[in-house]
Amino acid sequence: MKTVAKFAPRFATVLAALLLSACAAPAFHQPSVSTPAAFKEAMVATPAASPEVVRSAADGTTWKTAQPAESQPRGEWWKAFNDTRLDGLIAQATASNQNLTVAAARVKQARAIAGIAEADRIPQIGAGVGAQRGQLSPLEAGVAPGTRMSPVTSYKASLSASYELDLFGRVSSNVAAARGDAGAVEATYRSVLLSLQADVAQTYFRLRALDAEIATVNQTVRLREESVRVTGRRFELGDIGEFDLSRAKTELSTARAEAIGLQRRRATAEHALAVLLGQPASNFGAASDPLEANASLPLIPTGLPSSLLERRPDIAGAQRTMEAANARIGVARSAMFPALSIGANGGGVAGTFGDVFKWSSRSWLLGATLAMPLIDGGRNRSNVVRSEAALEEAVGSYRQSVLVAFAEVEDNLAGLRVLAEQGAEVEAAVVSARRSADLAQKLYDAGRSSYLELLDAQRNLASVERTAVQLRGDRAVTTVALIRALGGGWDAAPSSSPASAVALASK
């Protein structure tokens, strides 16, 4: 018996530790993900003769391996485009977009829920003042039947307090879960904000690219109109037959139809921009602003793939969701163990309100309640299993988000690389097509070639010029897409490795 008494405190300590470890939330460990050492598409070998130059762009600019620029903003990334109109549009969208308003409201809700969970950490104190008037029956008062009972008025003032001791981590785990949820919602807000900013920028550049394409087609229309005028005069003079005049009119109508079709696409893009800005499409109008061939794009270093996990808000949100799911395991486990609550109530009760606060009218009550489930049909155990499965789901979602993030960066790096190659070829094609069209016009004027040969050369030139304009817009849109894939910013620390940069156009 002495031996048992001697080791009883130690046994109690060990037992308490086992109970606490059994119900507490498991320590959160960052799931392992396969992170490549570098982005594959950023490892494109540069020409040996000129290590700095990667490609020649379609607009005649030079494509270089980008280096991090300290002067470029990393938060307001769109300002790196040096476009004041774009700055104003994004500011307007940030202030008025309704999807962003919804996301901001959800952040407020999540923070409030976290505040509610935090409130369980401190004692709950309340006060009350009241009055009541009633009459007991003789039986209730314990007097002889028929006794006349008078109504009684009583006044009461009380102060109460209650507190749950966090014996098995229910409160702390619930707080951790609520904080994780709030962090995930805030990350979702940042993701919505980044998507909104990128959508505005991409729609803006698409609109400008359409303006440039419309300008190119309108130039073709003017050339066709001049061709019809000249061909009509030559037909009247008998130099050519009606066939050439009919073909010229056909080409003019076709060019005009293409210009009208582009106007429809522009109107659709303009309406989409209005929605992003939080404006009725009927009240919004964007002035024509063609994307010029000499427009420069910012230099965007991609950084290391591992840093992508820190910049992407969707990945941050997935991590916060994991942390919340991990904490809920502790909440579920704690339901299987006793809960200890302490309560206190004190005040005064008297027949007149003036006597309520007298010492002789005092009343008080102290109590403690220890409650735990005995038979629950396996409900709590199943809840633990469900919580553990929810954590497994969150881990899978996190790893999937990482894979998607890497793929999006690689997609846009590949897109910029391919667009650079296309641009170089299209630029050469534009030069050749212009030369061919010029020669064809001279041969036709000299009567040494047919009108069909002239039309073929002119069609080819118009097609190549439109392709060059479209590639110009695709490059701007893909540049924004890469910034979004990188999390809306880039690291300030410069890197000498070519793997940490992407080839973009510069002046």
Side-chain angles (χ1 to χ4, degrees):
M1 293 298 294
K2 291 182 179 180
T3 304
V4 172
K6 178 180 180 181
F7 289 98
R10 298 183 182 180
F11 289 150
T13 302
V14 172
L15 180 60
L18 290 175
L19 289 174
L20 289 173
S21 63
C23 65
F28 178 76
H29 299 287
Q30 184 71 19
S32 60
V33 292
S34 178
T35 305
F39 291 110
K40 178 182 67 175
E41 289 294 336
M43 299 293 289
V44 178
T46 57
S50 179
E52 291 295 325
V53 178
V54 178
R55 299 285 191 278
S56 293
D59 55 13
T61 60
T62 300
W63 292 65
K64 296 183 178 180
T65 301
Q67 297 296 330
E70 290 289 341
S71 61
Q72 291 181 348
R74 289 176 294 277
E76 298 179 330
W77 54 264
W78 58 91
K79 291 189 176 180
F81 288 89
N82 295 320
D83 190 323
T84 56
R85 187 180 178 194
L86 176 61
D87 297 346
L89 291 174
I90 290 183
Q92 184 176 350
T94 303
S96 304
N97 183 268
Q98 297 307 306
N99 286 335
L100 191 61
T101 301
V102 171
R106 288 173 179 167
V107 170
K108 293 181 181 179
Q109 295 177 49
R111 288 176 177 174
I113 292 173
I116 294 172
E118 289 276 3
D120 290 337
R121 287 185 179 274
I122 62 175
Q124 306 297 301
I125 300 175
V129 177
Q132 63 181 18
R133 181 175 176 81
Q135 177 179 315
L136 297 177
S137 69
L139 180 61
E140 290 174 321
V143 297
T147 303
R148 180 178 179 82
M149 304 298 297
S150 301
V152 178
T153 302
S154 63
Y155 298 89
K156 181 179 181 179
S158 63
L159 185 67
S160 62
S162 62
Y163 180 65
E164 179 183 349
L165 296 178
D166 195 16
L167 291 180
F168 300 101
R170 187 197 71 82
V171 175
S172 57
S173 295
N174 193 44
V175 170
R179 286 177 177 175
D181 288 338
V185 174
E186 290 178 17
T188 300
Y189 170 82
R190 292 193 297 272
S191 183
V192 172
L193 177 60
L194 174 59
S195 296
L196 171 63
Q197 294 166 345
D199 287 343
V200 170
Q202 288 181 317
T203 305
Y204 169 72
F205 284 122
R206 288 191 185 101
L207 191 60
R208 292 188 61 190
L210 283 171
D211 288 338
E213 191 172 354
I214 290 172
T216 301
V217 174
N218 286 339
Q219 177 64 22
T220 301
V221 170
R222 288 190 290 269
L223 292 175
R224 293 286 183 263
E225 290 173 344
E226 179 64 17
S227 178
V228 168
R229 186 184 66 80
V230 173
T231 305
R233 290 186 57 187
R234 295 185 65 184
F235 173 72
E236 292 174 356
L237 295 174
D239 292 342
I240 58 175
E242 186 178 357
F243 174 78
D244 289 352
L245 178 59
S246 297
R247 294 291 298 184
K249 290 181 178 180
T250 300
E251 293 299 319
L252 173 60
S253 297
T254 301
R256 286 174 174 171
E258 291 178 350
I260 295 173
L262 287 174
Q263 290 292 344
R264 180 187 64 83
R265 291 175 54 192
R266 187 191 189 281
T268 301
E270 186 179 73
H271 300 159
L273 184 58
V275 173
L276 292 172
L277 299 180
Q279 293 189 19
S282 302
N283 299 340
F284 178 75
S288 178
D289 185 16
L291 187 62
E292 301 296 338
N294 59 355
S296 63
L297 301 178
L299 305 178
I300 305 173
T302 62
L304 296 176
S306 59
S307 65
L308 185 67
L309 307 184
E310 302 172 359
R311 294 196 301 256
R312 293 259 307 205
D314 57 336
I315 295 179
Q319 180 167 342
R320 298 295 177 269
T321 300
M322 284 191 302
E323 295 171 357
N326 186 77
R328 285 196 172 87
I329 295 177
V331 176
R333 289 178 178 178
S334 66
M336 304 172 66
F337 295 87
L340 178 59
S341 299
I342 299 176
N345 191 301
V349 180
T352 61
F353 186 76
D355 295 335
V356 168
F357 300 99
K358 290 183 177 180
W359 183 252
S360 59
S361 301
R362 70 188 183 278
S363 68
W364 57 269
L365 177 67
L366 293 176
T369 303
L370 184 65
M372 69 172 294
L374 296 178
I375 300 176
D376 63 359
R379 181 190 306 273
N380 288 328
R381 182 57 193 167
S382 297
N383 196 32
V384 172
V385 174
R386 182 193 64 81
S387 301
E388 292 172 344
L391 176 59
E392 294 175 5
E393 177 187 0
V395 170
S397 297
Y398 170 78
R399 287 174 172 160
Q400 182 66 19
S401 298
V402 172
L403 293 175
V404 170
F406 288 150
E408 288 179 352
V409 174
E410 294 286 2
D411 287 346
N412 290 290
L413 288 173
L416 287 175
R417 175 177 57 81
V418 171
L419 287 172
E421 296 172 354
Q422 284 184 290
E425 297 299 333
V426 169
E427 177 64 18
V430 168
V431 174
S432 299
R434 286 174 179 170
R435 177 62 177 167
S436 297
D438 183 61
L439 291 174
Q441 185 68 54
K442 292 179 179 179
L443 290 173
Y444 177 73
D445 292 339
R448 297 173 58 186
S449 66
S450 67
Y451 188 68
L452 290 178
E453 292 176 328
L454 174 61
L455 284 180
D456 184 65
Q458 291 178 341
R459 286 175 187 166
N460 187 46
L461 174 60
S463 176
V464 172
E465 287 179 337
R466 287 187 65 180
T467 300
V469 170
Q470 291 168 353
L471 284 176
R472 194 184 311 158
D474 290 343
R475 284 169 49 201
V477 170
T478 306
T479 300
V480 175
L482 176 60
I483 295 175
R484 169 158 46 183
L486 291 172
W490 43 85
D491 294 332
S495 173
S496 58
S497 171
S500 65
V502 59
L504 291 177
S506 61
K507 290 184 178 179

